[in-house]
Amino acid sequence: VAPGAGDAAEGLILDLLRKALSGEGFRLVYQPVLSLRRAVHQRYEVLLRLHAPDGVIIPPLSFLPVAERFGLLPEIDRWVLKGALQTLRAERDAGRPTQLMIHQTPASMASPDWLEWLRGEILRLDLVRQRPMVEFPARDILAHEDQARIVFPDLAKLGIDICLAGVTDDPSVLELIERRPVHCVKLAHELVTKGSGRALRACVSQLQERGARVIAAGIEDPETIGRVWSSGVDYIQGNFIQFPEEGLNFNFSDTPLS
């Protein structure tokens, strides 16, 4: 890599992020989360994409670290929440029992007005009966648990479920789930794709004993479905089921698993 190339790339991404926040460049896509049991809701995870002017899609792993370094995560989180809640309102108006899982970061959780803003948006859009699920990385919540201790109960009072992503059988994560009102967890990718079947089943059992519903994401092939099916997970998600799309058009009633 040429000297300064990394700084130049970072500068380009930073410029794209600032333009996206003030105009165009960000897009939301949605990936279905399929229940292996009888479910009331049609559930999707909301994912953010950054589009460059030439049409190239910049992956989150490339732009989120830049956003974090320059303090843009709260603004990006709010952009995602605003767009996802508008989508949820459209689903409500269409009479579809949809639940959206929306990523947020501890940077937003620490913002003094984040919770009040979220409450205001839910009331403004009349989403009192069809609320989102908010998703945080488990490791980040462990590192900012003092803030979670304050915010999580207030989210629960709003009727907003909490999902922790990147979960393993690490005792510190299991203890966190016991202490906080966590309704859903998403297993770490390496546990779903590379862990032994016995370890996977044991982890799922421990999580469910603590009252959490368990998602196995990153399903890319039929073999992985076979592994996670026997583990007792509650939901599966991945490109084998459907790639993320801009529309919410997955047919939950017409799948090979239904």
Side-chain angles (χ1 to χ4, degrees):
V1 178
D7 291 342
E10 183 177 87
L12 288 172
I13 291 174
L14 179 61
D15 185 54
L16 288 173
L17 288 171
R18 287 174 171 158
K19 288 179 178 176
L21 285 167
S22 61
E24 295 186 356
F26 281 143
R27 292 183 193 171
L28 297 180
V29 293
Y30 304 87
Q31 187 169 51
V33 180
L34 184 59
S35 175
L36 298 183
R37 291 149 180 70
R38 202 173 285 276
V40 174
H41 294 101
Q42 298 179 357
R43 184 173 281 105
Y44 292 85
E45 182 175 20
V46 183
L47 302 167
L48 180 65
R49 299 291 183 259
L50 176 62
H51 289 244
D54 60 2
V56 171
I57 299 175
I58 300 169
L61 287 177
S62 294
F63 69 77
L64 287 179
V66 177
E68 182 175 15
R69 278 196 289 278
F70 288 90
L72 296 178
L73 287 181
E75 287 182 75
I76 292 173
D77 282 351
R78 198 162 295 199
W79 190 98
V80 171
L81 258 178
K82 189 170 184 179
L85 290 177
Q86 289 170 345
T87 297
L88 193 58
R89 169 61 190 253
E91 290 293 289
R92 194 216 70 170
D93 289 348
R96 289 187 286 266
T98 303
Q99 185 176 54
L100 298 181
M101 300 170 57
I102 308 172
H103 290 262
Q104 294 289 280
T105 65
S108 286
M109 194 170 61
S111 298
D113 66 336
W114 176 75
L115 193 65
E116 196 57 40
W117 178 86
L118 176 55
R119 181 185 289 110
E121 285 296 285
I122 286 172
L123 292 174
R124 183 180 70 83
L125 295 168
D126 193 17
L127 293 172
V128 174
R129 291 184 176 85
Q130 192 161 336
R131 304 185 191 190
M133 177 180 288
V134 176
E135 181 176 340
F136 296 99
R139 282 289 162 199
D140 288 352
I141 295 302
L142 271 174
H144 299 84
E145 195 176 351
D146 285 348
Q147 192 66 37
R149 178 176 54 81
I150 299 168
V151 171
F152 278 17
D154 286 337
L155 287 172
K157 289 175 186 175
L158 280 176
I160 295 176
D161 289 347
I162 296 162
C163 178
L164 295 184
V167 167
T168 67
D169 59 356
D170 184 322
S172 61
V173 175
L174 295 175
E175 291 166 6
L176 171 67
I177 292 167
E178 285 185 345
R179 289 191 299 269
R180 304 296 165 220
V182 174
H183 303 85
C184 186
V185 298
K186 184 182 291 185
L187 297 175
H189 187 260
E190 61 269 17
L191 184 61
V192 172
T193 58
K194 298 176 183 176
S196 71
R198 179 179 296 178
L200 182 59
R201 285 191 298 273
C203 181
V204 170
S205 178
Q206 291 180 82
L207 292 164
Q208 290 171 337
E209 286 170 3
R210 288 159 174 80
R213 293 164 288 173
V214 182
I215 301 171
I219 306 293
E220 303 290 336
D221 51 60
E223 291 75 18
T224 306
I225 286 184
R227 290 183 71 249
V228 301
W229 188 291
S230 62
S231 72
V233 299
D234 301 285
Y235 302 93
I236 56 174
Q237 176 188 1
N239 293 337
F240 181 76
I241 298 162
Q242 183 177 283
F243 281 89
E245 297 183 355
E246 291 193 26
L248 283 71
N249 53 18
F250 184 74
N251 188 345
F252 286 86
S253 64
D254 184 22
T255 72
L257 305 172
S258 59

